[in-house]
Amino acid sequence: MLNIEKFTFGVGDRFAHQAGAQLTAFEQLAADGVDVTPVWNKSNREHTFVGSSPPSVHAAAKAAVDQRGWHKPWHVDADHIQLRTVDPFLPCSDFFTIDVADSIGKPASPEEVTAFVDRHPELIGTLHLDGLSAPLAVSRDEVIAVANQYLLAVKEAGEIYRYIAGVKGADNVIAEISMDETDAPQTPPELLIILAAIADEQVPVQTIAPKFTGRFNKGVDYVGDLKQFEREFSDDVAVIAHAIKAYGLPETLKLSVHSGSDKFSLYPIIYECLNRTGAGLHLKTAGTTWLEEIIGLSEAGGDGLALAKEIYAYALEHVDEFCAPYASVIDIDRSRLPDASTVESMSGPELAAVVRHDQNDEHFNPHVRQLLHVSFKVAAKHGERYTDLLKANAEIVGREVTKNLYERHLRPLFLGQSNPALSSARACSAESTGGQSQ
């Protein structure tokens, strides 16, 4: 088994031009005394949308690593793969996010469920695990219900993992199991039952991505009850620590937070838990880098600003098309989207302020940011016009990419050092729901 590092951070790079700028943020954090391993991730869906291929992710990352003389670990994630999509990722990835969301809820056979429950009597009763906010009370019927919900998905994860390991060798694979793209969150008791099933399936999972309570919308802050998330995250960490000892799962096993970019109100909570428990973390971002490219091109003015405005106008005309694949992870109030003529009249700094996620800036518009987040294939339609502008404005775009990763993400998560946007983020997250989760 290829052991994952304690702290890893997934960075998406839609157009494979920002790996160097991203790596700079990790260098800055290392200079602060904290090593976090970059994991470049891109899903099959994203490759399809922009017309790229999996080897391009590895090539861009390797070029940045070589150019900057990065001698610490780094990985390339085959993001949200399934058995039918994994093959192109095998030669160029060492981290595999195994997505079994489609199989969740499809019941296993009654015989398999009964055998699982009989095999794990320790899951039934009042469970006192170190670090829990309260004991877990689990009945046999609840174990049966969770097994019915997840056992088939876990077996599918085992099938996919064994296929990957059979091709690459287990010593070259980091396995993550993703269950976050579902309708209902997994509670800590459910996570414990799922981990027992994963151990039975003999998958050496090193990160697991559950769905947490609340909304993890793309490119904007968390919406939900912060106190509930704090309890849930801490209890999940305790459950993982117990499962490692109880079921012989890898000692490197840790939580993975998907759609983790821009969840500013959660970072102090996560930092406190990691600092208190010594647990590891994988947090995955994706479209944030593409948004920073738009911000940088806007700031650059000229042709870059003109193209940014064209991209917004096209996205506004095709809002239904672009939002449909992401309907469960965006909340856009269309009445809050400015018309194309309003955006056309903006200066570069004005448009940048609309898109940049600074909650202290009165010009920031989370609805515009979310729409642009899911509209990256508009830039792909422009082909070399877009990528040539990225090259021509590499310094200003790269500066936005690095600053966003280092100041807004890595420092709050791993150093507990806030950035100016965070002071209002926690209040905004709670106020948006009246303190209730959604």
Side-chain angles (χ1 to χ4, degrees):
M1 184 180 72
L2 176 62
N3 285 329
I4 195 171
E5 295 73 29
K6 183 176 182 179
F7 297 136
T8 48
F9 191 95
V11 283
D13 188 9
R14 297 280 197 252
F15 300 99
H17 279 67
Q18 306 307 326
Q22 292 168 327
L23 197 55
T24 300
F26 292 91
E27 292 171 343
Q28 291 175 349
L29 191 70
D32 291 331
V34 180
D35 286 332
V36 176
T37 299
V39 182
W40 279 275
N41 51 260
K42 194 169 183 179
S43 69
N44 182 69
R45 177 170 62 181
E46 290 159 5
H47 281 298
T48 301
F49 282 170
V50 304
S52 57
S53 62
S56 65
V57 179
H58 184 277
K62 181 66 164 56
V65 165
D66 290 345
Q67 181 181 18
R68 299 199 62 83
W70 177 262
H71 298 299
K72 299 176 187 291
W74 57 281
H75 304 291
V76 175
D77 178 8
D79 191 16
H80 284 284
I81 53 90
Q82 299 173 328
L83 199 58
R84 60 182 174 80
T85 59
V86 70
D87 280 347
F89 293 89
L90 290 170
C92 49
S93 301
D94 58 356
F95 188 120
F96 291 83
T97 298
I98 299 171
D99 187 342
V100 293
D102 290 347
S103 295
I104 294 174
K106 296 179 181 179
S109 71
E111 295 78 15
E112 288 177 313
V113 171
T114 299
F116 173 79
V117 177
D118 289 344
R119 195 161 56 245
H120 291 287
E122 78 285 353
L123 294 171
I124 300 168
T126 302
L127 311 182
H128 299 269
L129 311 184
D130 291 342
L132 283 179
S133 58
L136 305 179
V138 185
S139 69
R140 181 181 177 88
D141 286 346
E142 288 171 328
V143 177
I144 291 172
V146 175
N148 270 314
Q149 185 82 354
Y150 293 101
L151 207 55
L152 195 66
V154 170
K155 292 181 73 67
E156 180 185 352
E159 180 184 3
I160 297 170
Y161 168 75
R162 283 186 285 275
Y163 178 78
I164 295 168
V167 174
K168 293 187 67 72
D171 289 346
N172 301 306
V173 175
I174 294 169
E176 170 172 295
I177 295 180
S178 167
M179 297 185 169
D180 67 302
E181 294 193 354
T182 58
D183 293 331
Q186 292 96 34
T187 64
E190 289 173 332
L191 180 61
L192 179 59
I193 296 166
I194 291 166
L195 289 172
I198 291 172
D200 285 354
E201 195 64 23
Q202 298 184 334
V203 178
V205 62
Q206 296 193 70
T207 84
I208 186 162
K211 181 180 178 64
F212 296 99
T213 301
R215 288 193 65 89
F216 284 72
N217 291 331
K218 296 290 186 181
V220 292
D221 202 6
Y222 173 79
V223 179
D225 185 328
L226 296 177
K227 288 295 184 184
Q228 183 174 357
F229 175 85
E230 185 174 14
R231 289 191 300 272
E232 190 173 299
F233 187 87
S234 181
D235 284 352
D236 282 350
V237 167
V239 162
I240 286 175
H242 173 79
I244 290 170
K245 292 183 288 187
Y247 301 118
L249 289 166
E251 292 185 1
T252 48
L253 175 60
K254 59 186 180 181
L255 276 177
S256 178
V257 180
H258 283 197
S259 296
S261 61
D262 300 87
K263 303 305 179 284
F264 298 151
S265 59
L266 299 185
Y267 296 165
I269 294 171
I270 294 173
Y271 171 78
E272 187 281 328
C273 183
L274 301 183
N275 194 48
R276 171 172 48 84
T277 63
L281 175 73
H282 181 64
L283 186 136
K284 183 175 293 189
T285 70
T288 294
T289 294
W290 137 251
L291 292 172
E292 299 308 312
E293 290 176 341
I294 289 293
I295 291 168
L297 291 179
S298 298
E299 292 275 14
D303 292 341
L305 174 59
L307 181 54
K309 290 176 177 180
E310 287 180 38
I311 288 171
Y312 176 76
Y314 190 92
L316 191 63
E317 290 179 356
H318 297 80
V319 62
D320 290 329
E321 172 192 343
F322 295 146
C323 290
Y326 298 94
S328 64
V329 287
I330 54 175
D331 277 324
I332 296 177
D333 181 348
R334 300 190 187 191
S335 70
R336 301 285 301 279
L337 294 172
D339 58 38
S341 62
T342 299
V343 170
E344 180 61 34
S345 69
M346 292 180 181
S347 68
E350 286 172 339
L351 181 54
V354 167
V355 182
R356 184 182 291 115
H357 196 173
D358 180 353
Q359 295 179 357
N360 290 326
D361 190 326
E362 63 180 354
H363 301 292
F364 169 58
N365 186 322
H367 309 282
V368 171
R369 184 173 172 85
Q370 288 179 88
L371 176 58
L372 286 172
H373 193 294
V374 301
S375 302
F376 57 91
K377 63 181 177 180
V378 184
K381 291 179 182 292
H382 288 277
E384 290 185 1
R385 182 187 173 197
Y386 181 74
T387 55
D388 284 349
L389 281 168
L390 292 181
K391 295 174 186 175
N393 297 283
E395 183 177 352
I396 189 169
V397 171
R399 185 166 64 243
E400 294 292 338
V401 170
T402 300
K403 182 178 179 180
N404 176 60
L405 272 180
Y406 175 64
E407 293 189 5
R408 300 189 185 100
H409 291 80
L410 294 173
R411 280 180 47 152
L413 269 166
F414 300 106
L415 289 171
Q417 296 178 5
S418 184
N419 68 72
L422 295 182
S423 59
S424 61
R426 291 173 67 88
C428 289
S429 180
E431 287 172 5
S432 63
T433 61
Q436 298 300 311
S437 63
Q438 291 186 350

